[in-house]
Amino acid sequence: MRIAKEELFNFPLKKIGIFGASGSIGKQALSIIKDHSNELKVEALCVNSSSDFLYEAVKEFHPRYVGINFIKDNHPLIRYCSLNNIQLFIGKDSASKIIEISNLNIALNAIVGSIGLDITLGLIGRCEILALANKESLVVGGGLVQESMNNHSTKLIPVDSEHSAIYQCMLGEKTDNLQKVYLTGSGGPFLTRNLKTFNSITVEEAVNHPNWSMGQKISVDSATMMNKALEWIEAIRIFQIKPDQIEIIIHPESIIHSMVEFVDGSYKAQLGSPDMRVAIQYALLGGERKNSSFPRLSFTEQLSYNFFPVDYNRFPILFLVKQWEKEGGNRIPIMSIANDIVVGQFLKREIRFVDIIPKIEKTVEKFANNSSLTKEELAKLTSQIQHYLGV
Ligand code: NAD
Ligand code: MG
């Protein structure tokens, strides 16, 4: 008789689903699961179109469910899944189908872009812990996500390093005692670049982040500092704090991942090397701490950690996002949807780096109104924005 590993050790393996498994966050999550195979098991893997990567991952991790949006009819993954009793779902609704039938303990939403909202909404109520890397879903559908969270017991653990830091700083604290959050940002590759040369910024320069190794879209977002604008909204939505309680500060070393200030004048910060695996592991282990071989900080060397206020002239999106959040309505969702599109156009070299934020601003001006959006209205607005931006 074959005894399942979980029965042998008398504790259940946590079943993990990874949505966006072939990306920067998804791959790091798989390496963490490998390191903790005595307690974590890959149950479901979903990707957009990286069929070769998925095939290798399926052979290595033996998930029960596999989803892919696009795959060639004769790809060996299809035969492998059918021979090995693995349920393979193909097509744009593959992830949703898996969410419906799988019984996940922990689900990681590591899809990139506002399209991740459907996965976030689908997972709430369907898993115990939602490890959320896809910040865009909170930006584009903040109210919808909040409403759904209020009606279900699923717990959200942020994967974004700043929000993981704030989450950890708030453990054991009363929310009423929180005075301020300091959301740190490195300033990206163009923190000190001469503004007169912004016209000639190339894709290669924009995706070359000084501290973090990440996917292409978030790397460009870091270069415009849209990433910090998205994170500012993400913090408001996750921690239910007032916009004027969150201050963005530049911290070029990316060691302090964020800080909180309490009413008594005391501060807490969470520190670590700029390595996303720390925050991913923390979320996948449901907030438990376990040994890791991730890089350590050394406090015996001479250290200097710098902090600067934001230069709004260099990074105008950080001014605009505050204005749009104050004005409310559909402005913040438009910002995220338009950003997904124009960053894609920049990466395809169809527009210049300096066109990114003005195009988003124009799109917000064109479509802004004061109504909040249902899921259906959001889908309709997305198609209108795609059409407006020439997709
Ligand atoms: P990435 O581009 O490296 O990977 C994206 C993943 O999403 C891929 O697996 C791709 O197959 C999948 N995907 C894309 N479109 C999809 C679709 N329509 N349906 C299903 N799957 C789809 O992205 P990333 O850098 O890993 O970032 C993922 C998310 O995590 C983003 O929201 C990003 O802002 C956030 N995040 C990333 C980092 C980082 O270090 N990379 C840090 C903090 C937060
Ligand atoms: Mg971050």
Side-chain angles (χ1 to χ4, degrees):
M1 186 177 70
R2 200 168 147 256
I3 303 171
K5 205 171 171 187
E6 51 204 273
E7 287 168 41
L8 198 64
F9 291 103
N10 204 23
F11 62 79
L13 284 167
K14 294 263 189 286
K15 294 182 200 156
I16 314 279
I18 304 184
F19 299 84
S22 57
S24 158
I25 293 285
K27 285 178 181 165
Q28 294 178 83
L30 284 171
S31 80
I32 289 161
I33 295 173
K34 207 160 137 185
D35 290 345
H36 296 275
S37 57
N38 57 341
E39 49 198 310
L40 305 177
K41 184 200 173 300
V42 177
E43 181 78 352
L45 288 178
C46 289
V47 304
N48 188 36
S49 58
S50 312
S51 45
D52 292 344
F53 171 84
L54 188 60
Y55 182 35
E56 294 307 315
V58 166
K59 284 191 281 184
E60 182 172 358
F61 291 96
H62 311 288
R64 189 182 294 201
Y65 307 105
V66 175
I68 185 161
N69 292 355
F70 306 98
I71 189 169
K72 285 192 185 134
D73 290 344
N74 59 353
H75 196 282
L77 173 70
I78 299 173
R79 187 171 148 77
Y80 184 87
C81 287
S82 95
L83 289 177
N84 289 280
N85 203 19
I86 295 169
Q87 287 197 49
L88 171 68
F89 295 86
I90 298 172
K92 283 198 169 175
D93 56 355
S94 54
S96 313
K97 283 185 178 155
I98 290 177
I99 292 170
E100 248 172 56
I101 58 166
S102 59
N103 193 9
L104 301 172
N105 298 107
I106 299 169
L108 170 65
N109 184 356
I111 283 176
V112 64
S114 308
I115 194 115
L117 175 64
D118 277 350
I119 304 296
T120 294
L121 289 174
L123 286 169
I124 298 170
R126 292 268 174 191
C127 61
E128 288 159 32
I129 292 174
L130 170 59
L132 188 64
N134 178 266
K135 63 191 92 187
E136 295 93 338
S137 50
L138 283 170
V139 178
V140 83
L144 298 171
V145 175
Q146 195 51 53
E147 196 185 319
S148 185
M149 289 292 293
N150 292 343
N151 293 327
H152 295 96
S153 60
T154 299
K155 182 175 160 187
L156 190 154
I157 302 190
V159 169
D160 218 349
S161 58
E162 297 77 2
H163 305 75
S164 176
I166 300 165
Y167 178 93
Q168 293 176 56
C169 289
M170 287 308 294
L171 288 176
E173 303 289 350
K174 292 185 180 131
T175 3
D176 285 353
N177 290 337
L178 176 69
Q179 184 133 327
K180 208 161 179 179
V181 170
Y182 290 92
L183 188 70
T184 54
S186 69
F190 307 136
L191 180 63
T192 55
R193 182 176 171 130
N194 185 342
L195 278 174
K196 287 185 190 139
T197 69
F198 267 45
N199 269 332
S200 63
I201 286 173
T202 63
V203 169
E204 289 71 23
E205 288 170 331
V207 298
N208 186 19
H209 196 281
N211 305 341
W212 299 93
S213 157
M214 308 181 285
Q216 292 221 308
K217 190 249 177 191
I218 184 176
S219 297
V220 177
D221 286 351
S222 300
T224 57
M225 284 205 83
M226 170 60 86
N227 185 47
K228 218 41 64 179
L230 298 172
E231 290 184 353
W232 185 74
I233 300 286
E234 183 186 10
I236 294 171
R237 306 284 187 260
I238 294 181
F239 302 104
Q240 309 260 292
I241 36 183
K242 295 192 202 93
D244 60 9
Q245 277 182 293
I246 314 175
E247 192 157 328
I248 299 170
I249 47 172
I250 303 293
H251 167 47
E253 293 82 8
S254 301
I255 297 293
I256 293 181
H257 297 313
S258 275
M259 295 184 271
V260 297
E261 176 188 327
F262 295 104
V263 285
D264 60 356
S266 179
Y267 294 76
K268 271 192 188 175
Q270 191 262 347
L271 288 72
S273 294
D275 188 323
M276 278 309 295
R277 290 175 300 171
V278 182
I280 300 170
Q281 171 168 309
Y282 183 79
L284 290 182
L285 293 172
E288 290 283 318
R289 299 203 190 277
K290 292 277 155 82
N291 287 344
S292 85
S293 56
F294 308 148
R296 304 294 146 133
L297 299 175
S298 165
F299 294 100
T300 51
E301 291 160 23
Q302 194 184 1
L303 291 172
S304 59
Y305 292 164
N306 292 284
F307 301 98
F308 305 107
V310 166
D311 175 351
Y312 291 102
N313 191 30
R314 182 173 289 270
F315 301 116
I317 192 61
L318 295 177
F319 167 80
L320 292 167
V321 70
K322 290 183 182 175
Q323 188 187 314
W324 292 333
E325 172 67 4
K326 202 184 243 172
E327 289 167 4
N330 60 4
R331 291 169 182 80
I332 293 293
I334 296 173
M335 174 189 82
S336 184
I337 296 164
N339 182 57
D340 287 351
I341 298 168
V342 293
V343 169
Q345 291 173 331
F346 169 67
L347 286 168
K348 283 194 250 158
R349 297 165 209 267
E350 291 168 5
I351 63 168
R352 296 172 307 164
F353 181 81
V354 284
D355 297 329
I356 294 176
I357 303 302
K359 273 184 178 288
I360 294 168
E361 201 178 347
K362 271 198 179 144
T363 313
V364 172
E365 277 164 17
K366 162 94 181 148
F367 291 97
N369 66 45
N370 291 333
S371 57
S372 55
L373 299 162
T374 62
K375 230 179 116 183
E376 292 68 34
E377 287 163 346
L378 207 50
K380 194 173 158 206
L381 180 66
T382 304
S383 331
Q384 287 170 337
I385 295 174
Q386 281 168 341
H387 185 251
Y388 175 69
L389 289 169
V391 180

